[in-house]
Amino acid sequence: MNLSVLIPILAGYILILSGLAYYGYKKTRTEADYLIAGGNVNPIVMALSYGATFISSSSLIGFGGVSAMNGFGLLWLAFLNIALGIFVAFAVFGKRIRKLSVKLNVFTLPSLLGARYESKFITVFSGIMIFVFMPAYTSIVLVGGGRFLQETLGFNYNMSLFILAIFVGFYVISGGLKAVMYSDAFAALVMLSMMILFLVVTYQAVGGITAGHTALSNMKDLVPEDLVEQGHRGWTSMPALGSPMWWTLVSTLIMGVGIGVLAQPQLAMRSMTVKSAKDLNRSVLVGGIFIFFMTGAIYMIGPLSNIIFQDTRGELALTVAGGNVDLVVPILINEMMPDWFVYLFTLTALSAVISTISSLMHVQATSFSEDIFKTLGITSVFGGKISLVRFGVIIGVVAAVILAYILPGGVIAQATSFWFGICAAGFLPVLIGALFWEKGSRAGANASVVTGFAVSIIGFLFFHEKESAAFGISEALFGKGALLGYPVTHIDPIMYALPLSAIVFVVISLWTYKKQGHSVKAANQQEIAK
Amino acid sequence: MLGMEDYVVALAWLATVLSAVGCVLYGIFTWNKGGSDS
């Protein structure tokens, strides 16, 4: 890595991002501009920005390494990312979210739920959940960026962390969602061009699709013994049904992350930023292509890297990386790709980090100002010298940096699962209810949100071994890493918290729906949303 | 000899590619549909 080449590239890149953020700042005049980018964003910019927010560096580097170990089975997650994360999110949910948010005049997911169910509790409780737990996710994305700069460029880790956090915080404060979306869209274009090239070169290196897949199938006997015991059946087979590896693949990776995307507040609110259902149709096209070349491509590249490493070094990807899956993709790039690609891939990883953090900080801040304080009737702090939402960004930046030092190392995957899981269990039933079911009642929605968050958080802290062991709270309180034995230790809490939250929502809604007397209004809103 | 678990994975690869193609076709065929109401 030649720094005299990289530094000018990096400086040019930062300059372009700053220019776009400044453009966003100049275009931000009203509250709606700051919160939902004015509600008239170009659908292509929206889809690219959504994609760049969706994909962080851990989805490329971390999950790429996981797929090198697990094999092509992870492609079910890529399928869900496209089918649910793009098509259903825009064409089905997005259209109704957009209409309902315009009708109810709201700018955030918690406010949308609160207005639909006429429940201030939901708005404030959801806002608090986002403001308390999202910084953990933000901070591990930040840690991913800091580690990446440290490992590939030899930058000082502490310095990288601070500079990243302050740079992103600064443009979120100044330009709001417009600055976030313009810079995201640019980041997405960098990511897209690099990943298309990466996928094409990888398939060329293994002799094409059929030859590559056949070669990988023939490597079945090379699977290390300890992985075979976990259920590994080769890179072109699913793990043995019911084995630890199968449970992890199906419940955490595929279900947890695949379904969790629909209930991510920073993603669900993106549909509010375009001006019509037609724009959402157009977004599907761009979003589908983008996500295919992100998660689809990296889950193809990961397993195929085993063939390449076997040819060049006579070892498997996991062995080459010394057992650390996070190193598979960086080593593959250094070995297989030309020098200039290595520099530009550095920008890709950095783009993925920055674009994800900026949206998270924006949503945290809007939860702080719109969902919590404004709902409670507080509209200014410090005598109005700084707006509430910008104060929320500052708190978010500080919290993310502090948490980056508090959270145990190596929990990027666990913290991602945790955040996606609690959002799915807490938000998904009531969001679907708000959009599609007129009998959803305030009491049912309140109970469902509390049940979903409580059960999933308890599940992650005390029962699902990957997270409970990493967070260490179960160990500290009860002296053991997880309270129950296998298979509960390997079943992601989303598998029971989400159904439970949905059942609570439906049962209590049906029971209280008639009593509340606000169902007529809700039914009217349903008509509007159709 | 291909077992069930091999087909499940081959299907995953195909589903990923086809879902992306589906998104492109959906976008093309609905490019001007859905109303431009605000």
Side-chain angles (χ1 to χ4, degrees):
Chain A
M1 188 66 83
N2 184 344
L3 283 184
S4 62
V5 176
L6 186 72
I7 297 289
I9 293 179
L10 208 54
Y13 175 74
I14 297 290
L15 203 64
I16 293 174
L17 277 187
S18 306
L20 287 166
Y22 181 72
Y23 179 69
Y25 163 71
K26 294 299 281 182
K27 290 275 187 182
T28 297
R29 292 274 169 272
T30 65
E31 189 183 43
D33 283 341
Y34 192 91
L35 296 173
I36 56 165
N40 56 2
V41 173
N42 179 300
I44 295 172
V45 171
M46 192 281 267
L48 288 173
S49 144
Y50 176 99
T53 298
F54 191 154
I55 303 295
S56 67
S57 65
S58 65
S59 357
L60 296 177
I61 295 173
F63 275 63
V66 169
S67 73
M69 182 175 77
N70 280 0
F72 276 144
L74 207 55
L75 278 168
W76 281 117
L77 175 56
F79 166 69
L80 286 182
N81 288 158
I82 299 169
L84 294 181
I86 296 294
F87 183 76
V88 172
F90 291 167
V92 183
F93 280 34
K95 288 178 183 174
R96 293 186 178 221
I97 288 175
R98 198 197 66 78
K99 272 206 162 180
L100 203 55
S101 70
V102 170
K103 179 69 198 166
L104 299 171
N105 193 27
V106 291
F107 301 133
T108 68
L109 180 67
S111 297
L112 178 80
L113 296 174
R116 157 65 182 82
Y117 294 110
E118 298 179 317
S119 163
K120 281 188 174 182
F121 171 79
I122 282 201
T123 304
V124 175
F125 181 80
S126 304
I128 290 172
M129 287 295 113
I130 291 172
F131 197 69
V132 169
F133 289 108
M134 197 189 241
Y137 179 47
T138 311
S139 82
I140 58 114
V141 176
L142 190 62
V143 167
R147 292 251 175 264
F148 180 77
L149 287 174
Q150 178 191 29
E151 283 161 14
T152 55
L153 310 183
F155 283 18
N156 177 298
Y157 171 71
N158 297 325
M159 201 67 162
S160 308
L161 207 68
F162 278 105
I163 290 175
L164 268 178
I166 289 168
F167 174 67
V168 176
F170 182 73
Y171 80 73
V172 176
I173 285 181
S174 56
L177 196 60
K178 284 197 169 184
V180 168
M181 289 180 79
Y182 294 147
S183 51
D184 276 4
F186 171 68
L189 290 174
V190 173
M191 293 159 72
L192 185 60
S193 46
M194 289 302 108
M195 288 301 296
I196 290 175
L197 197 65
F198 196 11
L199 182 65
V200 170
V201 170
T202 303
Y203 265 117
Q204 273 185 336
V206 297
I209 294 175
T210 314
H213 292 193
T214 307
L216 196 58
S217 293
N218 294 338
M219 289 170 63
K220 188 184 267 193
D221 298 335
L222 299 175
V223 178
E225 197 51 47
D226 57 334
L227 286 180
V228 173
E229 282 172 16
Q230 293 281 305
H232 204 306
R233 294 286 176 270
W235 290 274
T236 56
S237 291
M238 287 293 276
L241 193 68
S243 64
M245 205 163 183
W246 185 88
W247 272 113
T248 300
L249 184 68
V250 172
S251 80
T252 299
L253 299 175
I254 296 178
M255 296 290 289
V257 180
I259 292 179
V261 68
L262 284 173
Q264 289 285 293
Q266 76 280 18
L267 297 177
M269 60 80 64
R270 285 298 155 95
S271 299
M272 302 176 185
T273 64
V274 293
K275 66 178 187 301
S276 69
K278 184 168 73 178
D279 284 349
L280 285 163
N281 285 336
R282 295 176 175 187
S283 299
V284 169
L285 188 154
V286 179
I289 294 173
F290 183 81
I291 298 297
F292 174 78
F293 282 109
M294 293 298 131
T295 52
I298 204 74
Y299 299 160
M300 292 175 188
I301 292 167
L304 293 171
S305 71
N306 286 296
I307 306 175
I308 295 165
F309 287 130
Q310 193 67 34
D311 285 347
T312 57
R313 302 185 181 202
E315 291 179 321
L316 295 173
L318 198 59
T319 319
V320 171
N324 179 355
V325 291
D326 288 344
L327 295 178
V328 172
V329 173
I331 293 174
L332 180 67
I333 287 172
N334 273 317
E335 232 175 64
M336 186 175 77
M337 304 300 282
D339 276 351
W340 60 268
F341 184 91
V342 178
Y343 293 118
L344 289 177
F345 191 81
T346 305
L347 285 190
T348 299
L350 206 56
S351 297
V353 170
I354 290 175
S355 58
T356 301
I357 295 177
S358 61
S359 294
L360 296 177
M361 285 188 177
H362 181 265
V363 166
Q364 278 164 220
T366 60
S367 273
F368 177 79
S369 65
E370 301 299 307
D371 303 330
I372 302 174
F373 280 84
K374 282 194 179 161
T375 308
L376 295 173
I378 301 165
T379 52
S380 69
V381 285
F382 304 132
K385 281 180 183 156
I386 178 169
S387 74
L388 260 177
V389 68
R390 291 182 165 96
F391 185 54
V393 178
I394 294 170
I395 295 180
V397 171
V398 172
V401 171
I402 292 174
L403 278 171
Y405 287 100
I406 293 178
L407 288 172
V411 294
I412 290 183
Q414 287 89 334
T416 305
S417 299
F418 176 81
W419 171 248
F420 272 65
I422 66 171
C423 277
F427 290 137
L428 197 54
V430 291
L431 177 61
I432 292 175
L435 303 176
F436 299 98
W437 193 46
E438 63 271 21
K439 291 187 179 177
S441 75
R442 181 194 314 160
N446 287 351
S448 169
V449 170
V450 172
T451 303
F453 276 107
V455 172
S456 58
I457 289 170
I458 290 169
F460 279 117
L461 293 183
F462 298 106
F463 296 110
H464 194 232
E465 200 170 46
K466 263 195 169 164
E467 288 79 20
S468 64
F471 296 142
I473 294 177
S474 175
E475 182 71 48
L477 291 178
F478 300 106
K480 46 187 177 181
L483 297 185
L484 292 175
Y486 181 81
V488 176
T489 49
H490 283 65
I491 298 176
D492 195 280
I494 193 177
M495 302 290 275
Y496 46 84
L498 178 60
L500 200 61
S501 164
I503 291 167
V504 164
F505 175 56
V506 171
V507 170
I508 296 186
S509 286
L510 288 174
W511 188 39
T512 57
Y513 161 69
K514 288 292 180 201
K515 295 179 190 170
Q516 278 192 353
H518 77 283
S519 51
V520 174
K521 192 170 171 185
N524 282 341
Q525 287 165 3
Q526 289 297 314
E527 278 309 310
I528 292 153
K530 275 171 188 162
Chain B
M1 180 62 196
L2 286 177
M4 182 66 187
E5 57 272 26
D6 300 302
Y7 285 110
V8 170
V9 166
L11 196 59
W13 191 91
L14 202 57
T16 304
V17 173
L18 290 180
S19 61
V21 172
C23 281
V24 171
L25 292 176
Y26 177 85
I28 291 171
F29 284 111
T30 59
W31 190 258
N32 277 319
K33 290 180 181 160
S36 56
D37 59 294
S38 49

